């Protein structure tokens, strides 16, 4: 399901238990992936097996992808700012500071497409961001000026999502800012560290983002720990549900048998076992 400028909602696999969870996969696009992406993130393709594993191993109420979707004349491109150097900051006419990026994820381009190894199903929701030429959009929830929102928050609200798990590219920019905004929207937020990579691994932007995330209350974990904890939680919920369910004590009425008299010519009784109820068909997605 596509939501350009991000409208609508969709659903994926149902999570058992009282909580409703969404997996948010951030910007796993060709231009952010080595070896040939114009803004390739070091080891960026290593997040893909983690994203695919989480969607396979765990059940989700919703799976969303954010997708950078810039016009050619986007203000964040160094090529559109005379004298600007890539990866330096420039003050925009609005007064805000903006990192000058190489041209990337231009609408309709090969670089804007999701990486071929990333699993994307028809039931997934795709939220496109960075579509306005005069403002960048790191977060999957808001443009950087926080004046314009995508529809991510409303999609999650419509689906009654209470928790999100976030991973993708890049940790120190789009993934991190998406996690901060998710917390701001009142969602319990977990960031999968081995499912994210940074533009500046070990650099100041990575360190600063980690501090912001911890201060905001974002839980940072690994995919292994997440899978283990979620499965344990689901098992505990199932046991609690089973223990609370009343046991069925109804018994079929017993047939009276006269043991003192057997008539040889009496027609043989043909009793049929009650038919088992049809299995419930559960639709995921």
């Amino acid at each position: 399901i596509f939501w350009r400028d991000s409208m609508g909602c969709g659903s994926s696999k149902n999570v058992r238990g009282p909580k409703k969870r969404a997996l948010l996969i951030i910007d796993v696009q060709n231009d952010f992936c080595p070896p040939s992406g114009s803004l390739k993130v070091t080891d960026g393709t290593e997040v893909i097996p983690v994203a695919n594993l989480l969607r396979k191993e765990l059940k989700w109420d919703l799976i969303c992808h954010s997708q950078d979707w810039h016009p050619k004349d986007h203000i964040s491109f160094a090529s559109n700012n005379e004298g600007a150097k890539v990866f330096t900051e420039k003050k925009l006419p609005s007064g805000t500071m903006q990192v000058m990026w190489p041209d990337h994820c231009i609408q309709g381009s090969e670089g804007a497409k999701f990486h071929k190894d990333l699993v994307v199903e028809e039931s997934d929701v795709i939220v496109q961001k960075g579509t306005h030429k005069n403002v960048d959009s790191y977060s999957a929830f808001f443009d950087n000026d926080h004046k314009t929102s995508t529809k991510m928050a409303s999609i999650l609200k419509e689906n009654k999502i209470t928790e999100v798990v976030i991973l993708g590219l890049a940790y120190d920019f789009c993934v991190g800012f998406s996690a901060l905004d998710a917390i701001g929207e009142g969602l319990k937020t977990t960031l999968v560290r081995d499912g994210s990579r940074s533009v500046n691994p070990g650099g100041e932007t990575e360190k600063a983002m980690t501090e912001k995330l911890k201060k905001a209350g974002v839980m940072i974990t690994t995919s292994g720990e997440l899978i283990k904890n979620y499965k344990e939680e689901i098992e505990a919920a199932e046991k609690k549900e089973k223990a609370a369910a009343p046991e069925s004590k109804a018994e079929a009425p017993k047939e009276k048998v006269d043991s003192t008299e057997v008539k040889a010519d009496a027609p043989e009784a043909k009793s049929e076992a009650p038919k088992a109820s049809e299995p419930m068909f559960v639709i995921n997605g």
Side-chain angles (χ1 to χ4, degrees):
I1 301 174
F2 262 98
W3 296 113
R4 190 158 296 166
D5 254 346
S6 325
M7 303 172 24
C9 63
S11 64
S12 185
K13 300 174 183 177
N14 185 37
V15 177
R16 301 184 67 175
K19 298 170 184 175
K20 298 199 74 175
R21 297 179 172 121
L23 179 64
L24 273 53
I25 303 169
I26 307 298
D27 298 0
V28 183
Q29 296 166 254
N30 290 329
D31 270 345
F32 295 127
C33 292
S36 56
S38 63
L39 185 44
K40 56 183 176 289
V41 176
T42 304
D43 299 326
T45 53
E46 292 184 8
V47 310
I48 297 171
V50 178
N52 293 344
L53 176 70
L54 288 179
R55 73 176 300 149
K56 178 183 176 183
E57 289 294 316
L58 300 175
K59 295 179 180 180
W60 304 93
D61 291 284
L62 190 70
I63 296 179
C64 297
H65 302 261
S66 70
Q67 184 180 32
D68 243 16
W69 196 250
H70 296 308
K72 289 181 180 180
D73 57 351
H74 197 259
I75 200 163
S76 73
F77 296 168
S79 63
N80 292 325
N81 293 269
E82 189 176 352
K85 294 182 179 180
V86 174
F87 302 121
T88 62
E89 280 195 320
K90 178 180 173 65
K91 191 172 185 179
L92 300 179
S94 63
T96 60
M97 299 301 293
Q98 170 68 51
V99 176
M100 295 287 100
W101 302 111
D103 293 17
H104 65 279
C105 299
I106 294 171
Q107 295 171 6
S109 69
E110 191 65 26
K113 292 180 181 178
F114 294 117
H115 192 281
K116 62 181 178 60
D117 294 334
L118 180 71
V119 175
V120 181
E121 297 183 354
E122 288 186 7
S123 57
D124 294 359
V125 175
I126 298 171
V127 174
Q128 293 176 329
K129 63 187 182 67
T131 60
H132 305 118
K133 72 174 187 177
N134 290 323
V135 61
D136 209 352
S137 183
Y138 295 152
S139 169
F141 290 82
F142 291 95
D143 284 348
N144 287 1
D145 60 6
H146 266 235
K147 293 178 181 177
T148 307
S149 65
T150 69
K151 294 294 181 183
M152 181 65 81
S154 62
I155 288 168
L156 299 176
K157 198 169 292 184
E158 286 166 12
N159 284 274
K160 297 180 171 56
I161 298 300
T162 58
E163 300 183 11
V164 294
V165 172
I166 298 179
L167 73 162
L169 301 171
Y171 171 82
D172 47 347
F173 286 92
C174 297
V175 174
F177 282 110
S178 294
L180 292 171
D181 281 341
I183 282 282
E185 291 295 317
L187 298 162
K188 181 178 178 182
T189 304
T190 301
L191 189 152
V192 183
R193 192 64 185 90
D194 59 323
S196 307
R197 293 294 185 277
S198 294
V199 171
N200 300 308
E204 287 305 313
T205 55
E206 183 178 89
K207 293 174 184 175
M209 181 56 71
T210 299
E211 288 303 312
K212 288 178 184 176
L213 293 168
K214 289 180 177 178
K215 186 176 180 180
V218 174
M219 181 181 295
I220 302 175
T221 189
T222 65
S223 56
E225 280 298 308
L226 183 76
I227 291 170
K228 176 177 174 287
N229 292 340
Y230 271 25
K231 286 188 173 180
E232 286 177 353
E233 187 176 322
I234 289 169
E235 287 173 7
E238 286 175 341
K239 286 180 182 178
K240 186 176 181 181
E241 185 180 343
K242 189 175 180 181
E247 292 185 14
S248 177
K249 297 182 180 180
E251 295 182 4
K254 293 182 179 179
E255 198 174 317
K256 292 183 179 179
V257 179
D258 188 346
S259 60
T260 60
E261 183 180 357
V262 178
K263 295 182 179 179
D265 57 349
E268 191 174 332
K270 294 182 180 179
S271 61
E272 293 184 3
K275 293 182 180 178
S277 58
E278 292 295 321
M280 182 174 65
F281 186 67
V282 180
I283 300 175
N284 289 329

